[in-house]
Amino acid sequence: MKKLIVFVFTFLIIQLHARADEGMWIPLLIGKNIADMQAKGCRLSAEDIYNANQSSLKDAVVQFGGGCTGEVISSQGLVLTNHHCGYGAIQRLSTLEKDYLTNGYAAMNKTEELPSPGLTVTFVVRIEDVTKRILDSLASEMTEVQRNKKIADISSTIEKEAVKETHYDAKVRSFFYGNEFYLFVTETFKDIRLVVAPPSAIGNFGGETDNWIWPRHTGDFSLFRIYAGKDNKPADYSADNVPYTPKKYFTISMTGVKEDDFAMVYGFPGRTTEYIPASAVDMIMNSTDPNRVAIRDLRLKIMDEGIHMSDTVRLKYLPKYKGIANAYKKWQGEILGLKSFDALEKKKTFETEFTKWTQQSGDRLKKYGNTLHQLDSLFALARPLSRISDYTNEAAFGVEILGFANSFSELIALAKKDSVKQNEIDLMVGNAKKRAEGFFKDYDERVDREMFAELLVIYRDSMKSEHLPQYFKTMNQKFKGDMFRFSEYVFSKSVFASKEKVLALLGSFGKSSPKKLEKDPAYALASAISENYDALTLRLPEINSAIAIQMRNYMAAQREMQAQKNFYPDANLTLRIAFGKVKGYRPNDGMNYIYRTTTDGIGEKFRTGNEEFYMPEKVLSMIDKKNFGTYAVNDTLQVCFLTTSHTTGGNSGSPVINAGGELIGTNFDRVWEGTMSDVMFSPDRCRNIAVDIRYTLWVIDRVEGAGYLLNEMKLSSLKM
Ligand code: ASP
């Protein structure tokens, strides 16, 4: 018997360890993971990683630009992130003559660092568990509306208390589907300047061909600097601002990594859904993902033709293209991954166990007996509505002129009110002018006409005839179903097709303007589609709210059922820690990917002739001559490596950290076979991809000639 217990126990531990790479952990609670982390080789304490009172690694991790992560790597506020995270800022600083996106940029001193208006960097000052305070104020008989109102009220009080007499911001966030709540106090800097952008041949090496793919050779980094007022506090841009002195910055490891080394990723993962029922997984892999892929396929084809038309169009559309292509490719990997990992079967097996568990006690049956059944019915209701939403938002509003025209609906509604004050209209007209400037800066009518003609066909064909807006049907009949003729009509008649016309209209916006706009064919079509969508999906808020209630129950039940398991909450763009090991993987039979790539692969890919593997002669020759300095080991310069950490979008730019807390790389992607980790994690096939910090430093120093920046960094040659 004793033997059996020991055996079962060992099995359990192995199980726990095998699955332990899954998870995005709240730094405040990292104490619960530290033993596991140390068993994997980590030599840090929980306080080294997160400490609200003293400086800790968390003080060197920032949310970059709202949707990415960055790490502070110098005593003077240098922030390292991905090239694809700095992309928008670099694009805005680029012109045809000074094309930093293509050619790269390196400031040779601080006066050459380029202000990037709109870009922000946010530190987490502290995290607090406020679950008890919130849950204690809720009563079980409250309706969902009352409950949400109460949560919002207390959250707002907590947030106000937290930032009193400071320049901080605070936000209470819901975790585990409303079962727990944490307060995040943050500090946001607004004067961020570009220091180094590699040429896109390096920063985006491999382009879409290699996106989500291993083996990888992308130098996906860019370097910015945080500026602060003289008091080291956040300040709006001013020439008088000074480089920010951080509480903490990463020491950089020059030793690099080897297989099985401990690795951890500290950052702001965006969104995962690991605890949803089989019916929701089914909807993702068999409806949502495939629909969106089909629509984006077409959008990308049209944009690609535009990009190859001229340099002007390329500059305007490349960032949009990349944005659309990124999720498009991920969804395809996700479908494949979920299928080959038998995700549906796994969920169903769990649900059978779950149902048995609920049946074991009257109390459970009462609390959770109906949960799964309810969720299944709700997802069955949501599925067709989510399809309508995809075809409306991705296809119909994929036509840029329609989205732009639709953004005038509030102004029109306001101007039609009797009691409206002129200053309210003036304010909205001012905003609309700014929107118009922004819209036309990156707009090409030829590309959009093509979008109109093709996307409205799939919008029309995807909907039941009775679900199409009346205006659309009328026009469809008028042009005998020929969307090219319909687009000809809209683009020649609509003011929204011309910057001059929109600005002229806004410049003399008066009593008759709303009427005129309502008759505009682009506006008429956009508002018909939008109103039609509202009417068809009237029940969606109610369904979503019911799903929220049931998911809260289901989440609580899953945690009750597996009481011994340490659960991590789904990603929600808050600060998290993922950890694991440096490791290769075997995606399919006969394939064995090793954990790293080197500069050798850059030449190999270049020689394929694919234009996405273009590399300037200068870099190729440096690689050829092994001009690597101290960044290489035995003349080998490592470019990227893999770890088993659980990451997602938002983790782009996250520091990858070794056992001693030093920076070894910058996270930028995941492998194709493992993108399903947003829905279900597999320790065998899910890997995150990082660019080796020594490759980044080599590019900054040798390729860009900005080696002087290394003087403000702390480099370490400790063997880990
Ligand atoms: N490259 C990815 C992204 O930008 C990062 C990830 O999802 O792992 O979405």
Side-chain angles (χ1 to χ4, degrees), residues 84 211-212 326 647-650 652 667-670:
H84 80 263
N211 195 17
W212 302 105
N326 194 41
T647 58
T648 186
S652 288
N667 178 73
F668 69 97
D669 210 2
R670 280 170 289 161

Side-chain angles (χ1 to χ4, degrees), residues 183-195:
L183 166 74
F184 291 80
V185 179
T186 56
E187 182 179 35
T188 295
F189 287 81
K190 290 170 280 185
D191 183 357
I192 312 299
R193 303 187 194 172
L194 175 65
V195 182

Side-chain angles (χ1 to χ4, degrees), residues 67-68 82 84-85 211-212 216 220 270 326-327 330 646-653 667-671 675 677-678 687-689:
C68 277
N82 290 153
H84 80 263
C85 295
N211 195 17
W212 302 105
R216 193 66 162 276
D220 195 348
N326 194 41
K330 190 208 98 163
H646 188 180
T647 58
T648 186
N651 268 126
S652 288
N667 178 73
F668 69 97
D669 210 2
R670 280 170 289 161
V671 303
T675 56
S677 64
D678 287 349
R687 296 289 180 270
N688 66 307
I689 311 178

Side-chain angles (χ1 to χ4, degrees), residues 165-176:
E165 284 157 31
T166 70
H167 60 280
Y168 297 151
D169 297 305
K171 192 96 202 113
V172 171
R173 304 290 305 268
S174 151
F175 287 72
F176 293 115

Side-chain angles (χ1 to χ4, degrees), residues 194-253:
L194 175 65
V195 182
V196 177
S200 61
I202 290 176
N204 188 30
F205 181 77
E208 291 315 314
T209 309
D210 263 11
N211 195 17
W212 302 105
I213 296 292
W214 185 257
R216 193 66 162 276
H217 301 82
T218 314
D220 195 348
F221 81 89
S222 56
L223 192 63
F224 290 80
R225 192 189 299 280
I226 307 170
Y227 277 78
K230 297 236 159 56
D231 54 2
N232 208 34
K233 290 194 178 133
D236 285 332
Y237 169 79
S238 155
D240 294 337
N241 284 348
V242 293
Y244 170 66
T245 308
K247 273 193 234 156
K248 177 95 188 166
Y249 61 97
F250 279 103
T251 299
I252 293 171
S253 167

